[in-house]
């Protein structure tokens, strides 16, 4: 995932996104081209229906990724997108934390205790020495299950907080991964100098970070065009408290060494993570290559 951001920061990559809303949810299509040893194209079609688990016993996210050779146009694989989307989102947060958070960060808050929250915490442990975790979810039983399961799995001190701010105020790293449509963190809710990964706002109707908090932070985005139209940055621009020019950098520019990371002063650093198509290409290519090496998968002849 770090290589995907680096290639994006160096320029020359191609990406695109399309969103379509329907009652109860929506679809988005993300596509991109990335050279990773060979040149890959991938297009992901994801459905996101937040009420599916409770109402229909179905996953919130369902979809497929089509992976192709970007030099020949040959389809290579069709992959289920649910696990890939979840894992690549956690990996993107880990890359951002590696470049934007304090190297000795030992405390984290996870706001949103679904499967994505679990992946986010596991990913953070790859790059930072997290020892203490505070978690919050509107469903307190889900938060309690998260704390119980991952404390046992990871050997961490994990406690359930009473509200998002209580989890965030005492944490070096804060991750929001919710379907919220109104801000859940505002000015004063995060510690000075902390790192916040805002993961949930992947369409214009979603929001996790209040415009005033974003305006008072140093903001890094995955893709500026996307963040300005569908991320938390979108809401800050609409509120008139930020412009695109106020964004410190895209993460890829920092990973590629073209822009220095924002200084770690008294203001928080917020990573507005809307989901970059190149993340899907990189993750799908990794799965495909490992499947090929292991002889896994079903071969299908699409053309004579």
């Amino acid at each position: 995932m770090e290589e995907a951001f680096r290639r994006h920061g160096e320029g020359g990559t191609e990406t695109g996104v399309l969103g379509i809303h329907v009652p109860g949810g929506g679809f988005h299509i993300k596509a991109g081209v990335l050279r990773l040893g060979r040149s890959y194209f991938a297009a992901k079609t994801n459905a996101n229906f937040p009420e599916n688990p409770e109402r229909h016993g179905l996953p919130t996210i369902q979809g497929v990724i089509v992976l192709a050779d970007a030099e020949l146009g040959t389809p290579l694989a069709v992959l289920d997108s649910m696990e890939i989307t979840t894992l690549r989102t956690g990996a993107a947060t880990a890359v951002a934390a590696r470049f934007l958070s304090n190297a000795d960060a030992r405390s984290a808050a996870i706001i949103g205790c679904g499967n994505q929250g679990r992946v986010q915490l596991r990913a953070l442990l790859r790059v930072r020495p997290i020892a203490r975790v505070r978690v919050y979810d509107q469903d307190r039983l889900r938060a309690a299950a998260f704390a119980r399961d991952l404390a046992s799995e990871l050997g961490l001190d994990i406690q359930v907080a009473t509200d998002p701010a209580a989890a965030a105020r005492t944490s070096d790293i804060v991750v929001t991964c919710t379907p919220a449509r109104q801000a859940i963190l505002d000015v004063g809710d995060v510690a000075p100098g902390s790192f916040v990964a805002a993961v949930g706002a992947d369409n214009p109707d979603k929001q996790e970070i209040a415009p005033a908090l974003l305006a008072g932070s140093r903001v890094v985005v995955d893709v500026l065009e996307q963040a300005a139209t569908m991320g938390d940055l979108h809401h800050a621009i609409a509120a008139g408290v930020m412009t695109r020019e106020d964004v410190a950098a895209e993460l890829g520019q920092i990973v590629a060494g073209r822009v220095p990371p924002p200084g770690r002063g008294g203001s928080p650093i917020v990573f507005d993570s809307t989901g970059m198509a190149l993340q899907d290409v990189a993750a799908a290519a990794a799965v495909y290559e490992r499947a090929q090496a292991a002889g896994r998968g079903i071969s299908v002849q699409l053309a004579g």
Side-chain angles (χ1 to χ4, degrees), residues 119-173:
V119 169
Q120 291 284 325
L121 180 55
R122 294 186 187 111
L124 283 176
L125 290 175
R126 300 293 187 99
V127 297
R128 289 294 179 259
I130 303 299
R132 181 180 67 80
V133 182
R134 298 294 176 262
V135 301
Y136 173 80
D137 194 283
Q138 284 187 327
D139 184 337
R140 191 168 179 81
L141 291 178
R142 182 188 297 174
F146 180 109
R148 180 186 64 248
D149 295 346
L150 271 77
S152 175
E153 173 190 334
L154 304 174
L156 301 176
D157 170 20
I158 304 180
Q159 302 294 325
V160 176
T162 55
D163 58 70
R169 283 194 192 107
T170 59
S171 298
D172 301 318
I173 295 175

Side-chain angles (χ1 to χ4, degrees), residues 39 92 217 247 290 304:
S39 187
S217 303
V247 172
R290 293 185 184 186

Side-chain angles (χ1 to χ4, degrees), residues 205-286:
D205 294 327
K206 293 184 179 181
Q207 181 183 18
E208 295 182 310
I209 310 299
L213 174 55
L214 212 63
S217 303
R218 289 152 295 169
V219 178
V220 175
V221 299
D222 50 6
V223 181
L224 180 57
E225 180 62 29
Q226 282 185 197
T229 56
M230 58 190 275
D232 280 298
L233 175 63
H234 151 71
H235 294 283
I237 292 174
V241 298
M242 286 189 72
T243 67
R244 297 182 186 212
E245 288 69 32
D246 293 323
V247 172
E250 290 187 336
L251 179 59
Q253 294 173 312
I254 295 172
V255 174
R258 295 193 169 188
V259 177
R264 295 189 181 96
S267 301
I269 296 176
V270 176
F271 174 51
D272 192 358
S273 177
T274 57
M276 183 174 65
L278 297 181
Q279 297 170 233
D280 299 311
V281 184

Side-chain angles (χ1 to χ4, degrees), residues 8-303:
H8 179 65
E10 291 170 347
T13 57
E14 295 289 338
T15 64
V17 61
L18 171 67
I20 297 177
H21 298 283
V22 297
F27 296 86
H28 69 248
I29 300 170
K30 292 182 177 178
V33 174
L34 185 65
R35 176 167 288 281
L36 297 166
R38 66 188 287 186
S39 187
Y40 287 105
F41 165 85
K44 179 179 76 174
T45 299
N46 256 15
N48 190 320
F49 286 71
E51 296 180 356
N52 265 3
E54 292 185 5
R55 290 193 173 186
H56 307 292
L58 294 171
T60 298
I61 296 174
Q62 302 172 86
V64 296
I65 297 175
V66 175
L67 183 70
D69 184 310
E71 294 179 348
L72 301 175
T74 307
L76 299 173
V78 178
L79 308 96
D80 177 85
S81 72
M82 288 190 296
E83 191 73 3
I84 288 176
T85 298
T86 302
L87 292 176
R88 65 81 151 149
T89 304
T93 295
V95 173
R98 174 178 284 165
F99 284 87
L100 302 175
S101 71
N102 290 318
D104 60 351
R106 297 184 58 81
S107 59
I110 305 294
I111 301 172
C113 295
N115 188 42
Q116 182 61 251
R118 294 175 180 236
V119 169
Q120 291 284 325
L121 180 55
R122 294 186 187 111
L124 283 176
L125 290 175
R126 300 293 187 99
V127 297
R128 289 294 179 259
I130 303 299
R132 181 180 67 80
V133 182
R134 298 294 176 262
V135 301
Y136 173 80
D137 194 283
Q138 284 187 327
D139 184 337
R140 191 168 179 81
L141 291 178
R142 182 188 297 174
F146 180 109
R148 180 186 64 248
D149 295 346
L150 271 77
S152 175
E153 173 190 334
L154 304 174
L156 301 176
D157 170 20
I158 304 180
Q159 302 294 325
V160 176
T162 55
D163 58 70
R169 283 194 192 107
T170 59
S171 298
D172 301 318
I173 295 175
V174 179
V175 179
T176 58
C177 45
T178 75
R181 295 179 180 272
Q182 291 184 328
I184 55 178
L185 291 178
D186 207 334
V187 174
D189 289 344
V190 298
S194 61
F195 167 68
V196 180
V199 173
D202 59 358
N203 74 53
D205 294 327
K206 293 184 179 181
Q207 181 183 18
E208 295 182 310
I209 310 299
L213 174 55
L214 212 63
S217 303
R218 289 152 295 169
V219 178
V220 175
V221 299
D222 50 6
V223 181
L224 180 57
E225 180 62 29
Q226 282 185 197
T229 56
M230 58 190 275
D232 280 298
L233 175 63
H234 151 71
H235 294 283
I237 292 174
V241 298
M242 286 189 72
T243 67
R244 297 182 186 212
E245 288 69 32
D246 293 323
V247 172
E250 290 187 336
L251 179 59
Q253 294 173 312
I254 295 172
V255 174
R258 295 193 169 188
V259 177
R264 295 189 181 96
S267 301
I269 296 176
V270 176
F271 174 51
D272 192 358
S273 177
T274 57
M276 183 174 65
L278 297 181
Q279 297 170 233
D280 299 311
V281 184
V287 172
Y288 168 72
E289 290 177 357
R290 293 185 184 186
Q292 286 286 93
R296 301 291 297 274
I298 300 170
S299 179
V300 177
Q301 187 69 31
L302 295 177

